[in-house]
Amino acid sequence: MSQCNQASRKVRQKRERHQSISCVIVMELAIIYCVCLIIAAFHTPKGAEALQKADAGIPMEYETALFDASRVHTIDIQIKEKDWEDLKENALAKEYHDCTVVIDDETYHHVGVRTKGNSTLLQSIVRDWDRHSLVFDFSAFNASQRYHELDKMSIYNNACDSSYLKNMICYDMMRKMGVPTPLCSYTTVYLNGEYLGLYIAMEGVEESFAVRNFGHDYGQLYKPEQFDLAAILNGTTNSDVCINLEVLATNGSIEISELLEIPDGVVALQYMGDSLDTYIELWDSAIFKIGKNDKKRLVQSIKNINLCENLSDTVDMEELASYFAVHNFVLNTDGYTTKMGHNYYLYEKDGKLQMIPWDYDQTLGTVGAVGDQGDITSFINLAIDTPVLHTSMEERPMLNCLLKDENGKSLYHEALQELLDTYLYNGYLEEYIDMYVELITPYVEKDTTAQITMEKFNAAVESIKTFFDLRSQSIQGQLDGAIPSTTEEQQRSPETLIDASEFSSPDSGTFFDMIFPENSEIGLEDALRNLNLNLAVLINMLPVNHLIQLSSENGFFPKLVDFSFQLKSQQFGF
């Protein structure tokens, strides 16, 4: 018995020694881990900080469902023929219609579907296409319905992008830089089983987006817009719109931004005084319900950015620097830094602002959305410290406050260099493009409704690669000081610019080139008839005094009335 007791005691002592050793090891590992966390807190690179910030959001199921971008998905829109015809006939109204949507073999009933877009919407209407860009609201007719936690999404028809790549690339760049960005992926789209083509699916910037990026305690979202062509042509916009008749007398190309004169101060976030009524376009653009305190808080933030005061409490400087680094790198000709002043979401919480990207099809060398850019070399070398088109830095205060602030400008330059180092110089972009070209080429070949030939697709892809090569050379030269970084200095030293005179993009062209494509048999009367415009709305946009002057000079007004009567006669069979 004593021998057994001794043996048991030895086993127990041995076990206790092992346990002690294990405890010591665990404690040492815990200490090492804590030390590493402390070190990391003081030595976190910028990119990692952005990722940590994004971790404040909550993962959503749809991230690995429809927005798994490694494959091409399938969407079938099942809708009654009369409802689809009504959607098309009243496309400018952008009203929801009831439909069933089958996404990758998952069926969702009573989903709201409506048209979306500006120039892309007009293209679809004028050409009498079924190939519309669309918005889906899963809760439009069933408040509790979601697609894997997603409330809203849209599908983009790629009508302005022969490469099918621009939104994908630009959004990927934004995400890589830590900017809260909508998810996107490729999908084939069918209408009642009939193939429409290859689209890009995009996450809606609504509640699901806010939770995914900012958590349940999210702030306010706005989509400022003064250039909603559908609302303008319907007469439902709050903006004061006037047709600029002067441009109609020119022999050159006409851009929509030149033809329609629309005040852009509120949408561009210019401070217009303390009266809340002045900012009605902002309040109408709110995604969530807002109150008087929300309005006051946002107006105060707008005042701060215009005065360049209290910026650390008003703007997320790192996020803003990253946003504008990408935005200006890709030369968005239809965004905040242009005469248009739109195509962004504004996020506000506790008075602090962030910019969220939206709609990047008019980028990567595409010229046209804001009219003549001058020579292509000046355009490709657009100065990084004054990167505005047909507007001024003062008229774009969100950008102006960033670059007038010493710290903000430094962060912006660092973000540009980070883009060069981590997106281009290491081969990432080339691999990204090649991967998606391989993925979508079979679908592009099949996509006859887009009227994009394989020759045009290949040319568009090559133009994007050439654009990045030229633009990166220019930006690196500007960061290094070899090329001036302001427009005024570049005009004094044009010999320093990177020569881009041989560059061209198959998607470049005026607004009217997009509406009336080359070799199209569509005429102006056809377009007006398909648009089903309200003449009273159009006449209301005409400057009366100028019309009287024109009428007395050359009989312009009688000619306009005669044309309008002929058009209405054709419509109603008079």
Side-chain angles (χ1 to χ4, degrees), residues 374-422:
D375 67 278
I376 192 66
T377 292
S378 297
F379 176 55
I380 296 296
N381 287 272
L382 185 69
I384 60 175
D385 290 339
T386 52
V388 290
L389 297 166
H390 297 297
T391 187
S392 67
M393 293 291 289
E394 290 71 25
E395 290 174 312
R396 297 296 178 262
M398 195 65 118
L399 172 66
N400 195 42
C401 78
L402 174 74
L403 296 185
K404 284 185 71 173
D405 181 78
E406 184 176 341
N407 178 55
K409 187 174 182 178
S410 177
L411 289 170
Y412 169 68
H413 283 191
E414 289 174 8
L416 284 169
Q417 187 64 61
E418 185 177 341
L419 270 173
L420 289 166
D421 292 338
T422 64

Side-chain angles (χ1 to χ4, degrees), residues 402-464:
L402 174 74
L403 296 185
K404 284 185 71 173
D405 181 78
E406 184 176 341
N407 178 55
K409 187 174 182 178
S410 177
L411 289 170
Y412 169 68
H413 283 191
E414 289 174 8
L416 284 169
Q417 187 64 61
E418 185 177 341
L419 270 173
L420 289 166
D421 292 338
T422 64
Y423 210 84
L424 284 100
Y425 294 162
N426 64 356
Y428 175 87
L429 175 67
E430 184 176 0
E431 291 181 5
Y432 184 92
I433 292 176
D434 290 345
M435 175 182 68
Y436 279 111
V437 167
E438 181 180 0
L439 176 69
I440 67 175
T441 292
Y443 299 91
V444 176
E445 291 174 334
K446 183 182 175 183
D447 191 4
T448 57
T449 62
Q451 300 176 359
I452 297 173
T453 64
M454 285 304 297
E455 180 181 6
K456 190 173 184 180
F457 167 70
N458 291 327
V461 172
E462 288 306 311
S463 77
I464 287 176

Side-chain angles (χ1 to χ4, degrees), residues 72-242:
V72 177
H73 300 265
T74 301
I75 295 176
D76 187 9
I77 307 162
Q78 299 174 359
I79 185 172
K80 294 178 181 177
E81 184 176 347
K82 66 179 182 64
D83 289 336
W84 181 253
E85 289 304 315
D86 184 66
L87 178 147
K88 288 177 58 181
E89 185 176 344
N90 299 288
L92 292 175
K94 297 184 177 180
E95 293 179 351
Y96 281 109
H97 292 66
D98 194 348
C99 75
T100 294
V101 179
V102 183
I103 304 175
D104 293 333
D105 296 325
E106 289 186 278
T107 301
Y108 293 82
H109 299 288
H110 302 300
V111 176
V113 59
R114 67 166 176 82
T115 54
K116 76 173 290 290
N118 275 313
S119 59
T120 52
L121 175 58
L122 293 191
Q123 286 179 49
S124 300
I125 296 173
V126 167
R127 301 181 196 185
D128 195 24
W129 269 0
D130 280 325
R131 190 189 176 98
H132 280 278
S133 291
L134 300 167
V135 175
F136 297 96
D137 184 347
F138 292 94
S139 60
F141 302 105
N142 180 354
S144 63
Q145 182 170 242
R146 299 288 187 274
Y147 166 79
H148 292 278
E149 301 180 292
L150 178 66
D151 48 8
K152 270 190 185 180
M153 58 170 276
S154 61
I155 54 173
Y156 170 64
N157 65 8
N158 295 298
C160 297
D161 179 10
S162 301
S163 73
Y164 296 76
L165 289 169
K166 292 175 184 175
N167 275 305
M168 295 290 289
I169 291 174
C170 295
Y171 283 4
D172 186 66
M173 293 175 76
M174 288 285 186
R175 278 191 294 271
K176 291 291 184 186
M177 294 298 291
V179 178
T181 304
L183 300 173
C184 52
S185 63
Y186 288 107
T187 182
T188 54
V189 176
Y190 296 80
L191 176 63
N192 293 325
E194 182 178 345
Y195 186 60
L196 290 184
L198 179 65
Y199 282 63
I200 293 178
M202 296 183 184
E203 175 190 16
V205 183
E206 301 268 341
E207 184 177 16
S208 298
F209 172 90
V211 172
R212 183 177 68 82
N213 286 278
F214 308 111
H216 289 296
D217 187 26
Y218 54 79
Q220 293 292 351
L221 270 172
Y222 303 85
K223 177 66 165 59
E225 180 65 73
Q226 93 286 5
F227 221 89
D228 186 341
L229 286 174
I232 291 170
L233 296 175
N234 266 337
T236 57
T237 180
N238 283 314
S239 299
D240 294 323
V241 183
C242 184

